[in-house]
Amino acid sequence: MTTLSTYLNNATHTDNATAVSNVILTIADVGKNISALLRRGALAGILGEAGNENIQGESQKKLDVIANDLLLEALSSNPNCAGVASEELDNSTAASADGSLLVLFDPLDGSSNIDINMAVGTIFSILPYNNQGQSAVDDDFLQNGDQQLAAGYLLYGASTILALTLGHGVVMFSLDPDSGDYVLIKDNIQIDKDTSEYAINSSNHRYWLAPMQQYIDELVAGKDGERGRNFNTRWVAAMVGDVHRILCRGGIFMYPYDTKDAKKAGKLRLMYEANPMSFLIEQAGGASTDAINRIMSIEPTNIHQRVPVVLGCENEVNRVRDLHKQHNPA
Ligand code: AHG
Ligand code: MN
Ligand code: MN
């Protein structure tokens, strides 16, 4: 049996391996608390609205705030962590000036699932901190996804799963509720290049750009259309759940640009949703794009910036990108 701590002790992939391991263990420990709260659900008083909005104008659920506070508190007292940025915090928060790492997180992904007892998750991304000795500020976080030293998610589903990459493949652990250990269940996860399963919220169809409409229309037409075979839809309404399914059995996940609110580049956030998930998917042999450019190559300008996301099995992701390029030749 390999536990998370044994795995991390043996992993010497990054320059900063001990610090990275330490921060991952802190996040995984908080995950146990969030998982325990979710298991008690209504009995723990964690359901419902918090009664305020985050910087992105989204109303916060009680558990968004609780999960954020737990992660913030735990990471702030980890000496390796120089600062944190979160979906639920307007600005980044400086932690230990001598720390060598920055941590970005979506404390609770899939908030609309909390009150209906469905899967939710926590997404995290770990970046190097390049100004050690000084107090970290927002600008320090503005590094592209290729700089990530590690990334992963916790999925609070029927069981609690931790998926992780240190840049050398993807591994998965399952939380043993009896021992409290994260136990390795899958090593070197790889996904196929092709798939017949796709995830998208089709209620936005009329707001999508023409190439996205064309791509989905072809999938819906199935064996009677251009593609000559049938496709199936799955939508968890929590990116963690959809990405987990893709890592388990393939697929393509899309939250594309839409004109519902033309000011927003997409729904999902680059730095604590798209980048960490792209890192996992690429490490599993998949691809990730904003429909034109590779997501992890995007130079961020704001810690909360949004981005269209298309990720999963390579051949389908490339098809979406190619359709967009045909419509907008450079
Ligand atoms: P969050 O709960 O952190 O705001 O993220 C929710 C995101 C993502 O997880 C999911 O794929 C998507 O929003 C669901 O959007 P719809 O409600 O439009 O289906
Ligand atoms: Mn989210
Ligand atoms: Mn969230």
Side-chain angles (χ1 to χ4, degrees):
M1 182 181 94
T2 305
T3 63
L4 176 63
S5 34
T6 320
Y7 173 82
L8 291 170
N9 275 338
N10 296 333
T12 49
H13 300 311
T14 62
D15 297 344
N16 233 337
T18 314
V20 171
S21 298
N22 213 271
V23 162
I24 291 168
L25 288 171
T26 296
I27 296 168
D29 268 347
V30 175
K32 290 184 203 176
N33 293 339
I34 298 174
S35 173
L37 288 170
L38 279 160
R39 205 170 322 120
R40 284 182 53 77
L43 307 179
I46 57 160
L47 307 186
E49 304 293 325
N52 28 319
E53 284 189 350
N54 65 18
I55 190 167
Q56 321 181 44
E58 297 159 342
S59 61
Q60 290 176 312
K61 300 272 187 189
K62 277 186 199 158
L63 199 59
D64 287 321
V65 177
I66 295 168
N68 182 68
D69 291 351
L70 289 171
L71 281 163
L72 181 61
E73 192 186 320
L75 288 165
S76 298
S77 42
N78 182 319
N80 299 115
C81 179
V84 302
S86 160
E87 179 185 347
E88 308 302 341
L89 297 169
D90 298 2
N91 298 108
S92 63
T93 301
S96 170
D98 292 326
S100 57
L101 303 172
L102 299 172
V103 185
L104 300 96
F105 53 83
D106 175 356
L108 215 290
D109 176 64
S111 303
S112 72
N113 279 357
I114 299 170
D115 295 342
I116 57 167
N117 204 24
M118 291 295 136
V120 293
T122 296
I123 310 172
F124 61 91
S125 165
I126 302 177
L127 290 167
Y129 180 50
N130 300 317
N131 281 318
Q132 267 176 286
Q134 297 174 36
S135 189
V137 295
D138 278 12
D139 278 354
D140 293 311
F141 289 78
L142 302 180
Q143 306 178 41
N144 70 34
D146 279 330
Q147 307 309 310
Q148 293 175 103
L149 299 171
Y153 61 76
L154 283 142
L155 168 64
Y156 314 107
S159 55
T160 293
I161 301 278
L162 169 67
L164 176 69
T165 183
L166 303 172
H168 293 262
V170 179
V171 288
M172 260 180 213
F173 301 85
S174 186
L175 176 60
D176 179 341
D178 297 328
S179 67
D181 286 328
Y182 286 92
V183 179
L184 185 72
I185 53 166
K186 285 185 193 175
D187 207 351
N188 193 24
I189 293 165
Q190 287 290 307
I191 60 175
D192 291 342
K193 295 210 178 308
D194 290 302
T195 181
S196 297
E197 200 158 68
Y198 69 100
I200 195 161
N201 182 342
S202 288
S203 66
N204 295 317
H205 184 285
R206 69 189 186 284
Y207 300 113
W208 297 333
L209 300 178
M212 186 53 64
Q213 289 175 334
Q214 181 188 334
Y215 176 71
I216 297 298
D217 292 348
E218 286 177 5
L219 300 190
V220 172
K223 64 178 170 41
D224 300 326
E226 177 80 13
R227 301 299 303 269
R229 62 188 172 97
N230 289 334
F231 290 80
N232 186 38
T233 308
R234 285 288 181 269
W235 185 249
V236 179
M239 186 191 201
V240 167
D242 286 306
V243 169
H244 185 66
R245 186 187 58 255
I246 293 173
L247 289 175
C248 291
R249 67 176 191 213
I252 177 170
F253 168 91
M254 292 154 280
Y255 216 113
Y257 173 79
D258 67 50
T259 58
K260 194 154 63 173
D261 182 348
K263 291 189 297 297
K264 290 184 183 168
K267 178 175 185 186
L268 300 175
R269 279 56 57 113
L270 173 64
M271 301 215 62
Y272 40 80
E273 292 180 315
N275 271 341
M277 293 312 208
S278 300
F279 195 14
L280 288 165
I281 290 290
E282 284 198 8
Q283 284 294 317
S288 177
T289 175
D290 67 0
I292 300 283
N293 299 305
R294 179 173 168 267
I295 285 187
M296 287 203 289
S297 303
I298 297 172
E299 294 299 336
T301 54
N302 182 302
I303 54 174
H304 296 294
Q305 85 188 67
R306 295 176 192 262
V307 67
V309 175
V310 177
L311 57 76
C313 294
E314 189 180 3
N315 290 343
E316 291 303 316
V317 172
N318 289 348
R319 191 174 174 92
V320 175
R321 186 201 57 200
D322 292 347
L323 285 170
H324 282 78
K325 285 194 168 166
Q326 281 163 27
H327 277 74
N328 291 297

